[in-house]
Amino acid sequence: MARGDNRDKQLSAPTEFAAGNGLLDRRLFLQGGMAIGSAMLLSGTDAAAAGETAIDPRPKWMREPGAEFRPYGFPSLHEDEVVRFASPNRVMRNNGASWTPLHLLEGTITPNGLHFERHHNGVPSLDPEQHRLLIHGLVARPLEFFMSDLLRYPLRSQICFLECGGNSNAGWNRIPSTAEAGYFHGLASCSEWTGVPLATLLHEAQPGEGVRWLIAEGADAFAMHVSIPLEKAMGDAMLALYQNGERLRPENGYPLRLILPGWEGVLNVKWLRRLELSDRPAMARNETARYTELLPSGKARIFSFVMEAKSLITSPSSGMVLRQRPGLYQITGLAWSGRGRIRQVDVSADSGKTWAPAELQEPVLPKSFTRFRIPWRWSGAPAVLKSRAVDETGYVQPERKVLLAERGRHGFYHYNAIVNWAVDEQGSVSHVYDDDDQDLGDHPPVDAGWD
Ligand SMILES: Nc1nc2c(c(=O)[nH]1)N[C@H]1C(S)=C(S)[C@@H](COP(=O)(O)O)O[C@H]1N2
Ligand SMILES: [Mo]
């Protein structure tokens, strides 16, 4: 095990520590000079047995033909735990959400079958041949499109995250959630969307004087409708028909949905059927009674639109165990900001006393999931891991204490505080608060239900 000894000696050199409690320089992985070293070292005889020898070493799957072709692929049967976690409303099963298992995924793109879902009254089974989009209201030329009409326009693709305004809302609770990272923060996913820039169609409809808002309506049994400022509609808004190269999944809005990159999920109307141009917002249920919050001043925060920067260590994270204790680990996670690119992600292994910058995996795209990584040498002692995102506007992801002081105790939406994962001496990882929540005043428990 001479190689392993060497590696340990190298890593204990003090110059390579980037911050307290074992965080190492982010470039160590990139330089290729550091392997985790978890492969089994074969003895000479093992190595011979692995090749062509007297005993047939071939596993059973090499001794019979494999499965046949199939028209549409599924994940390996061995990956059957990589699934969404669904939490329907107790009263109405068609209303609820399902979370993306962020802690079980890698890279930055969410597979279509694992994109989170949020429906207020189920997934409509609508006929794409009959479905139409109407653009009307304060316009010179009201227009109606079949899906085949929309598909004739020049299409454009854009990678961006989609996040429900209610994502991570368990963070408002006094008791730390015990859910896995994805089942706590996974009302967020990231896809490549392809469709028609909304501005193209709005120009054709010729908006009248005084148009300031667009009221968008979905063709589901909830008839979701929300209001969108004209500037966003004329900016990077898109009418998406495709998701990661294939037509939208029914649960994500087939055959047509609105995509407003970086803006809260509820505005991204699925099964889109109507866009009404108006001089005022609709003041609909989901922009007044919901997706707003009462502040300590007694005023309500409404039309918050942009999802502020957030980051989250996905591994190691809540519910995992560091098996090779103590030793060298890769800390990895995701960061995103509705305002643009992620500029930096700092990681701490000592509960925020010291921080080191993580490596950001290229390409770092605006309003998209950004993967970060940093090597960590765990000593075997208890540790608290944190990540903190900074976006290109200079906005810094707040500590929970700061967010609570700003928003008060009536929060339910727009929770983006720094997350703490505690590692105990056994290597078990759990979610903790480090802000002594008892001192932050009394508050009613957050109702985890959806309505
Ligand atoms: N028509 C319609 N659009 C909708 C919703 C809905 O219930 N009906 N839910 C909204 C909410 S609250 C969110 S967070 C996103 C979720 O999109 P997804 O299910 O594709 O992840 O869709 C939005 N668009
Ligand atoms: Mo949402």
Side-chain angles (χ1 to χ4, degrees):
M1 297 295 277
R3 217 186 54 188
D5 291 352
N6 248 345
R7 191 189 70 226
D8 275 14
K9 209 174 294 158
Q10 255 178 23
L11 294 179
S12 54
T15 48
E16 291 184 356
F17 287 109
N21 209 10
L23 279 180
L24 297 160
D25 191 299
R26 68 187 196 275
R27 286 161 299 214
L28 283 178
F29 278 136
L30 285 187
Q31 287 161 0
M34 182 164 55
I36 293 278
S38 60
M40 283 182 292
L41 193 63
L42 293 181
S43 70
T45 36
D46 289 341
E52 296 279 341
T53 59
I55 323 154
D56 184 1
R58 291 181 171 171
K60 68 172 191 290
W61 43 85
M62 292 180 76
R63 286 185 249 119
E64 60 191 37
E68 290 181 17
F69 302 95
R70 50 189 181 188
Y72 198 94
F74 293 97
S76 161
L77 293 175
H78 302 283
E79 299 298 322
D80 62 356
E81 283 177 8
V82 185
V83 289
R84 297 187 281 222
F85 168 76
S87 160
N89 180 302
R90 284 177 291 271
V91 183
M92 210 177 90
R93 310 238 354 127
N94 297 336
N95 188 354
S98 75
W99 280 252
T100 295
L102 297 174
H103 54 295
L104 301 176
L105 300 177
E106 251 297 344
T108 55
I109 298 294
T110 311
N112 288 345
L114 295 174
H115 194 286
F116 84 93
E117 303 166 88
R118 172 76 182 103
H119 324 303
H120 291 73
N121 199 1
V123 178
S125 99
L126 57 81
D127 179 351
E129 301 284 317
Q130 284 180 46
H131 185 68
R132 279 163 290 173
L133 170 70
L134 174 66
I135 301 183
H136 70 134
L138 295 178
V139 292
R141 302 174 62 223
L143 300 171
E144 195 174 43
F145 300 89
F146 282 100
M147 298 307 101
S148 51
D149 301 325
L150 291 176
L151 284 163
R152 292 176 53 224
Y153 281 83
L155 303 180
R156 181 170 66 91
S157 297
Q158 181 162 352
I159 295 175
C160 64
F161 74 82
L162 181 66
E163 182 179 17
C164 177
N167 191 26
S168 314
N169 66 8
W172 293 111
N173 284 336
R174 171 154 296 162
I175 305 200
S177 161
T178 54
E180 290 89 341
Y183 304 148
F184 177 1
H185 302 281
L187 292 182
S189 303
C190 186
S191 304
E192 182 203 60
W193 304 99
T194 302
V196 185
L198 178 53
T200 307
L201 303 186
L202 293 181
H203 283 305
E204 270 189 43
Q206 297 173 15
E209 285 288 308
V211 170
R212 306 243 321 269
W213 294 84
L214 239 75
I215 296 154
E217 187 183 72
D220 51 343
F222 183 75
M224 165 67 75
H225 59 294
V226 292
S227 313
I228 295 146
L230 186 67
E231 307 83 74
K232 182 68 173 178
M234 287 296 198
D236 59 359
M238 177 194 274
L239 296 173
L241 294 143
Y242 291 84
Q243 174 182 0
N244 293 328
E246 63 181 1
R247 293 295 292 271
L248 300 178
R249 290 288 168 98
E251 57 267 39
N252 303 118
Y254 181 82
L256 185 70
R257 85 175 300 168
L258 203 49
I259 287 291
L260 303 177
W263 283 29
E264 73 174 348
V266 68
L267 300 160
N268 295 252
V269 174
K270 303 188 278 189
W271 315 295
L272 184 68
R273 70 184 288 263
R274 199 166 67 84
L275 290 169
E276 181 181 346
L277 283 77
S278 171
D279 58 353
R280 69 198 70 178
M283 302 306 275
R285 176 182 185 273
N286 274 290
E287 56 201 22
T288 52
R290 299 293 182 275
Y291 296 102
T292 64
E293 45 246 330
L294 189 60
L295 298 175
S297 64
K299 289 195 173 174
R301 189 168 172 263
I302 183 174
F303 295 128
S304 351
F305 302 138
V306 180
M307 296 307 289
E308 298 287 2
K310 181 182 276 188
S311 74
L312 166 77
I313 293 171
T314 52
S315 178
S317 62
S318 181
M320 295 182 182
V321 180
L322 305 186
R323 300 224 171 264
Q324 243 196 307
R325 57 178 306 265
L328 182 59
Y329 290 87
Q330 171 175 232
I331 294 176
T332 185
L334 294 168
W336 61 95
S337 165
R339 297 200 184 272
R341 286 188 172 76
I342 289 295
R343 180 194 287 167
Q344 188 170 328
V345 178
D346 299 310
V347 173
S348 174
D350 54 13
S351 199
K353 285 198 229 21
T354 59
W355 299 85
E359 186 64 32
L360 302 185
Q361 181 175 290
E362 295 290 341
V364 177
L365 301 173
K367 305 175 188 179
S368 295
F369 277 3
T370 299
R371 174 64 60 179
F372 65 87
R373 302 177 198 277
I374 189 166
W376 177 47
R377 190 182 151 89
W378 181 46
S379 69
V384 173
L385 306 177
K386 288 172 181 260
S387 67
R388 179 179 66 193
V390 183
D391 73 14
E392 66 182 334
T393 69
Y395 176 93
V396 182
Q397 184 184 6
E399 284 283 3
R400 183 168 180 274
K401 192 185 274 185
V402 174
L403 191 72
L404 288 176
E406 203 180 283
R407 303 266 192 84
R409 302 303 322 221
H410 298 291
F412 184 74
Y413 302 103
H414 309 110
Y415 183 93
N416 71 326
I418 289 173
V419 179
N420 311 303
W421 302 133
V423 180
D424 71 12
E425 278 156 337
Q426 274 67 51
S428 297
V429 187
S430 61
H431 177 216
V432 295
Y433 294 151
D434 63 354
D435 48 31
D436 197 14
D437 198 11
Q438 296 82 279
D439 295 341
L440 295 168
D442 210 11
H443 74 112
V446 167
D447 176 13
W450 296 96
D451 64 349

